[in-house]
Amino acid sequence: MDLIDIFNYFGYETQRRKLVEEVNEFLDEILLFEKGIGDIKKVEEELVDIFILLNQFYDYYEMEDEELILVTKEKIKRTKERIRAGYYERNK
């Protein structure tokens, strides 16, 4: 069974809601970890849950690796340019 089969089994709306849930769980685990009462293993597990769901959406929309790589490179380049230009305030 592929990721798209899992996605289709549960359906678009269920997986969309699940992605939101997993992102929130990830953020909760990060906060706990930063407070010193969390476990990095739980942060990793929630991050993997997000990766799995994102990959399901990637398959659902039949996205192409090359296009995602191109967009990723463009966004990284833009962020670097904005940093150099002082667009963002630096957090210390």
Side-chain angles (χ1 to χ4, degrees), residues 10-62:
F10 289 108
Y12 180 89
E13 279 302 313
T14 298
Q15 293 309 78
R16 185 190 57 76
R17 287 191 304 272
K18 186 69 173 170
L19 178 58
V20 171
E21 175 187 322
E22 295 299 345
V23 168
N24 284 320
E25 289 176 4
F26 172 71
L27 294 172
D28 289 344
E29 291 300 333
I30 286 177
L31 292 174
L32 291 173
F33 183 74
E34 289 176 351
K35 290 179 181 179
I37 55 175
D39 180 359
I40 193 66
K41 189 70 178 162
K42 290 183 179 179
V43 173
E44 291 169 352
E45 289 173 3
E46 296 303 333
L47 186 59
V48 169
D49 288 342
I50 294 168
F51 283 154
I52 291 168
L53 282 156
L54 288 175
N55 276 290
Q56 288 177 25
F57 279 91
Y58 175 85
D59 289 349
Y60 175 78
Y61 287 115
E62 299 178 351

